[in-house]
Amino acid sequence: MRISKQDRIKVEPFLAFGNDTEVFFKGRVIKAYTQKRPSSRNNWLSNIIAALKRYSGSSVPMAKVEITFQEKSYTVSTDEDGVFELQIGDSQPSTEQNEVVTFQVLEPASKKSLVAYMEVTRYAGKLGVISDIDDTVIISHSSEIGKKFWLSISKNAYTRRPLPGVSEFYKKITNENALPIFYVSSSDWSLFDLIKDFLRYRHIPEGPILLKDKHINMKNIWKSGGGDHFHKLQKIEMLMEMYPEMLFYLIGDSGQHDPEIYAQVIQDYPGRVKDVFIRVVGKLDSARKSELKNLHEFDRFHFIESSEEAIAIVEKELMIQ
């Protein structure tokens, strides 16, 4: 890609989180584009124009990024999609103030390269939540390409709709935000800001958002959220390794192989999954439910039709404990 020195190059930070000794950073480098903040008053045409701008923004492959954290600097390169990541060990949490990491593009050189900042969050404890997003938190019609594509380009963070009762369910299962929650989705990184704004606007507990490492642009925008979903397994494995003392609730839906992925997690990490909640999307016959419930002799698969069902299960468990 040809970069003029006058081009405005910037880092979009995505992730900065870890445990007591490790931290994980992720982001991408793009040629910046101007984008107005979305609004609930935007019509479908305004949202389509915003989507086109979002996906036409040029990522910068093979860029060099300087990451500065705890007075140490690290240089990483972006991949072919402009994405970079770095995991650092032997770091200790700051006891004086909030920890902040900075990102700056070193190459390609640009007079308008900006420094990006992100607060680092460290998680600990014995229990956490891992959740899918599409058709688990946000209505996406993932199994219907036409409907999914139209929603993705004609709506924004303030006009997309959540599944009924999701905010209440997630507040309950995180004990009013006391437990950490991580989101794993097949959506691409171009939708990071939309998902983040959506969670905040709908009062759904926020946490790190781990999306699919696949470049989506104007030529293949219709593929967003599709393809192989087993990258979710890799993301969940990373979380299992980073928080070895933590048990997890897993939340997903029946439309994107979440039951099979979660069953594999149960097999690979015995004793690490507390409950699985699968929201039924479309038709799921009793034979299929029975088959999935019996996977690896794990009897904590809950197939739910509504958030109210899930809330009742969590409340019952809390009463038993």
Side-chain angles (χ1 to χ4, degrees):
M1 174 183 293
R2 179 174 293 179
I3 302 292
S4 165
K5 287 189 176 182
Q6 299 304 314
D7 285 332
R8 186 167 172 260
I9 308 298
K10 74 171 185 177
V11 174
E12 286 186 321
F14 294 139
L15 299 169
F17 72 94
N19 56 30
D20 285 342
T21 60
E22 296 176 295
V23 288
F24 178 77
F25 305 119
K26 189 155 192 158
R28 71 173 176 176
V29 177
I30 65 168
K31 288 177 63 175
Y33 60 93
T34 57
Q35 182 76 287
K36 293 182 180 179
R37 293 293 298 169
S39 166
S40 60
R41 296 186 296 273
N42 286 9
N43 59 30
W44 63 269
L45 181 58
S46 298
N47 292 327
I48 288 176
I49 292 172
L52 294 177
K53 284 187 176 182
R54 182 187 304 121
Y55 283 102
S56 62
S58 300
S59 58
V60 183
M62 307 311 296
K64 292 192 181 301
V65 179
E66 183 180 62
I67 301 174
T68 303
F69 179 65
Q70 293 186 340
E71 299 181 347
K72 294 182 180 179
S73 294
Y74 310 83
T75 301
V76 297
S77 296
T78 62
D79 64 15
E80 64 217 22
D81 298 325
V83 176
F84 65 86
E85 63 180 49
L86 174 68
Q87 188 161 338
I88 302 171
D90 299 323
S91 67
Q92 297 297 323
S94 172
T95 58
E96 298 180 0
Q97 58 186 3
N98 294 336
E99 294 182 289
V100 175
V101 58
T102 64
F103 307 90
Q104 185 168 22
V105 179
L106 300 179
E107 296 179 13
S110 170
K111 292 181 179 179
K112 298 183 179 181
S113 177
L114 305 176
V115 178
Y117 301 84
M118 193 171 192
E119 187 172 324
V120 178
T121 305
R122 296 182 189 256
Y123 298 99
K126 298 296 184 181
L127 192 59
V129 180
I130 298 174
S131 175
D132 179 44
I133 295 175
D134 290 324
D135 289 323
T136 302
V137 174
I138 185 171
I139 295 174
S140 301
H141 299 294
S142 296
S143 59
E144 301 178 67
I145 295 178
K147 284 187 177 181
K148 178 175 173 53
F149 176 67
W150 176 249
L151 275 178
S152 68
I153 64 171
S154 66
K155 302 288 185 179
N156 63 42
Y158 303 99
T159 55
R160 293 291 295 267
R161 292 190 297 122
L163 274 296
V166 162
S167 178
E168 293 78 6
F169 170 38
Y170 279 53
K171 287 176 182 176
K172 178 68 68 174
I173 204 168
T174 61
N175 191 20
E176 297 295 334
N177 302 315
L179 302 182
I181 183 168
F182 306 88
Y183 293 95
V184 178
S185 172
S186 290
S187 293
D188 61 277
W189 289 106
S190 294
L191 297 178
F192 179 82
D193 283 342
L194 184 151
I195 295 170
K196 183 174 64 174
D197 290 343
F198 172 86
L199 294 174
R200 184 175 297 120
Y201 179 64
R202 295 295 182 175
H203 305 292
I204 299 169
E206 297 177 58
I209 302 168
L210 290 80
L211 302 179
K212 193 171 186 176
D213 295 330
K214 182 179 179 181
H215 186 54
I216 301 293
N217 55 31
M218 290 301 299
K219 293 181 181 180
N220 59 2
I221 183 175
W222 58 274
K223 292 183 178 181
S224 179
D228 183 2
H229 299 288
F230 282 91
H231 73 95
K232 294 181 185 178
L233 180 60
Q234 297 176 322
K235 304 292 194 303
I236 295 172
E237 287 172 343
M238 184 193 80
L239 295 172
M240 288 285 183
E241 298 295 333
M242 182 166 282
Y243 304 102
E245 303 299 320
M246 196 175 286
L247 274 66
F248 287 98
Y249 289 107
L250 304 181
I251 309 174
D253 66 86
S254 62
Q256 290 190 333
H257 305 291
D258 289 344
E260 290 86 353
I261 294 170
Y262 293 169
Q264 187 65 50
V265 173
I266 292 163
Q267 182 181 39
D268 295 344
Y269 297 91
R272 296 287 307 282
V273 177
K274 185 173 177 61
D275 280 278
V276 176
F277 292 88
I278 299 295
R279 186 179 291 271
V280 177
V281 177
K283 294 182 178 180
L284 192 65
D285 60 34
S286 58
R288 177 62 170 153
K289 287 184 182 180
S290 178
E291 176 188 356
L292 293 174
K293 283 184 177 180
N294 292 328
L295 285 171
H296 309 302
E297 300 181 348
F298 187 74
D299 61 357
R300 305 298 295 176
F301 265 97
H302 304 290
F303 291 89
I304 59 172
E305 302 280 349
S306 68
S307 296
E308 287 74 20
E309 286 183 57
I311 291 171
I313 293 168
V314 175
E315 288 180 338
K316 184 178 179 180
E317 286 194 356
L318 292 175
M319 290 176 63
I320 295 174
Q321 294 175 358

